[in-house]
Amino acid sequence: MSFVPGLILARRFHDEVVGPLLARRLPGLPYSAGLLDGGSELLGLDTPRSTDHDWGPRTQVFVGNAHDVAPVRAVLDAELPARFLGWPTRYAGGPAARLGTVRADGDRHGVTVDELGGWLRERLGADPRTGLTAADWLATPTQRLAELTGGAVFHDGLDGALTGVRARLAWYPDDVWRYVLASGWQRVAQVEHLAGRCAEVGDDLGSRVVVAGLARDLMRLGLLLHRRWPPYAKWLGTVFATLPDAAPVVDGLAAALGPGDWAAREPGLVRALETVAGWTNDAAPAPPVDPAARPFHDRPFLVLHACRFVETLRAAITDPELRDRPPVGAVDQYVDSVDVLTHADRARRVAAAVVGPPVGA
C-alpha cells in the first residue's frame, strides 16, 4: 500500500464511505465530522513511519443530541467496509487509544461517534460554545488547542458548530496572551544565568541541561509570539523551525548545545535570547524593552534579565485579577506530565490548586 497522508485518507474515508453511508441509512441526520483528536496527521507531519500503530482510515462523527449516538454507532459497526484504499478499516485486538468503537467480536474501527458538547467537555474541560473564562484557557494545554484548531472539518451539519468552535479557539484573548507570555519569560528569568555558572565550576553537562530547558522555553515563547499553539515535545522543534524568522534562534540554540566550552557556546544562547526578545517587541503586546543582553551582576556571563519583559507584560494586562496572579502561566508551562496534560479533569484540578479561584468564573 502506498502512503496516503492521514488527513487526506480521513477526508476521503468520510466523503466516500462514512458520509454516503449515513445519508443512506439515517437520512436527514444532522451531524458534523472531522479529525481533531490527536496524531501527527493533524499537524501535517505524518510519514510512512506513522503507519506502524493506530493507523488507518479514521473519522470523528459528532451529533447534537446524545440519543443519536447509539443509532449512528450501530450503522457504522454493521456496515463499514473491511478496507478502504487498501487500508483495513477494522483493527483486531490491543489498545488503540485514538481508534473508535470496539465491537463485541473484539474488532475496532476508526470512526468515533460523540455528542459534540460532551466530547468538547471531555477534551477541554469546557464547551467553548458557552464561552471560556481566563481559567478555562489557562487550564487547557496548548497541544489540545493545536489539535482542535489543526486537523480538518469534513462536514459541519450542526449549523456550523464545529467550525465555530475552531474559530473561538484560534487564539488567546489579549490579556491571557500577555499573561502566558509573561509567565514564559519568568521561566527564562529564573534560569538564564545558570548555564554559565554550571560551566564555570566545570559542569559542562549541567550547563547543557540548563540550556536545553531554556531552548524549550524559548521555542514555546517564539511560537506563542507568532500566534501558533506549541505542540508536544515530538514536534516542538519541527513546528518552531517553520517560523519564517526562526533561523537565528535555531542556529543559536544548536551552537549553545553543541561542542566546545562555555566561551564558544554562550554567544549562541545570547543570540537566541535577543532574537526572541526582539520578537516580543515586534508582537507589541506591551511597550518595547531593550532586547540587548547584559552582564549578570559582576559575573562573567551575559543574560537578558528577562524579568524586565515579565514586568512590562504584566503591567499591560488590563484585568486586575489576572494581572495579580502569580506568573506561572498556562498548565503546560509548569506541568510536564503526559498523564496530567492528556486528561482535562486532571489538568483543571492541578491548575485550580496552583493558581487559586478561577478568574471570571
Side-chain angles (χ1 to χ4, degrees):
M1 292 175 292
S2 61
F3 174 69
V4 179
L7 277 182
I8 295 175
L9 181 64
R11 183 181 292 279
R12 288 193 59 182
F13 187 47
H14 170 267
D15 293 351
E16 299 174 31
V17 176
V18 176
L21 175 58
L22 294 179
R24 183 175 68 254
R25 297 285 280 108
L26 297 169
L29 172 76
Y31 78 94
S32 296
L35 200 63
L36 310 167
D37 64 341
S40 301
E41 60 266 44
L42 270 66
L43 302 178
L45 297 173
D46 50 326
T47 69
R49 178 68 69 195
S50 306
T51 66
D52 64 0
H53 69 288
D54 288 3
W55 183 264
R58 298 201 297 125
T59 294
Q60 292 175 271
V61 172
F62 300 103
V63 294
N65 297 296
H67 61 73
D68 288 328
V69 170
V72 175
R73 284 180 177 167
V75 167
L76 295 168
D77 289 351
E79 301 190 33
L80 282 176
R83 304 184 77 84
F84 178 71
L85 298 183
W87 294 95
T89 63
R90 301 185 186 279
Y91 315 85
R98 291 188 289 117
L99 298 176
T101 304
V102 180
R103 302 191 310 175
D105 61 10
D107 282 355
R108 182 189 301 267
H109 64 68
V111 184
T112 58
V113 185
D114 294 282
E115 185 269 321
L116 179 58
W119 184 83
L120 289 168
R121 288 188 292 275
E122 185 276 332
R123 199 74 177 169
L124 300 174
D127 187 338
R129 296 174 297 174
T130 61
L132 295 175
T133 66
D136 291 327
W137 282 107
L138 296 174
T140 304
T142 56
Q143 170 66 20
R144 284 289 191 244
L145 297 168
E147 291 166 355
L148 275 158
T149 57
V153 174
F154 309 144
H155 175 72
D156 205 1
L158 296 177
D159 296 324
L162 202 51
T163 302
V165 164
R166 283 156 60 89
R168 285 176 178 263
L169 297 177
W171 198 245
Y172 286 131
D174 285 348
D175 267 357
V176 177
W177 184 37
R178 294 184 182 100
Y179 173 74
V180 169
L181 290 173
S183 301
W185 279 119
Q186 177 82 345
R187 288 178 58 88
V188 173
Q190 290 166 342
V191 299
E192 60 179 335
H193 60 291
L194 300 181
R197 180 62 174 148
C198 289
E200 188 177 52
V201 298
D203 183 6
D204 283 340
L205 176 60
S207 175
R208 287 179 172 82
V209 169
V210 172
V211 172
L214 283 166
R216 179 181 184 274
D217 287 333
L218 288 172
M219 287 192 290
R220 288 181 58 89
L221 268 169
L223 288 165
L224 291 167
L225 287 162
H226 286 79
R227 295 176 179 262
R228 297 278 303 274
W229 296 122
Y232 68 117
K234 177 168 64 173
W235 297 124
L236 179 61
T238 302
V239 174
F240 179 83
T242 66
L243 296 178
D245 44 0
V249 181
V250 172
D251 294 345
L253 292 175
L257 288 164
D261 60 14
W262 179 240
R265 295 189 291 113
E266 183 186 39
L269 179 59
V270 169
R271 186 161 66 252
L273 286 164
E274 291 182 338
T275 301
V276 179
W279 291 351
T280 306
N281 291 337
D282 294 341
V289 174
D290 180 3
R294 67 268 334 262
F296 183 72
H297 302 291
D298 293 329
R299 300 184 182 186
F301 30 85
L302 297 174
V303 296
L304 188 66
H305 280 295
C307 56
R308 299 175 300 126
F309 288 88
V310 179
E311 293 165 0
T312 190
L313 284 161
R314 294 188 71 183
I317 297 172
T318 59
D319 181 338
E321 290 186 71
L322 188 56
R323 184 175 59 240
D324 291 342
R325 278 195 176 203
V328 294
V331 64
D332 53 355
Q333 290 181 287
Y334 55 86
V335 174
D336 193 28
S337 168
V338 172
D339 289 317
V340 173
L341 299 179
T342 57
H343 293 78
D345 57 337
R346 296 174 187 171
R348 289 171 74 84
R349 289 200 301 271
V350 169
V354 169
V355 300
V359 175

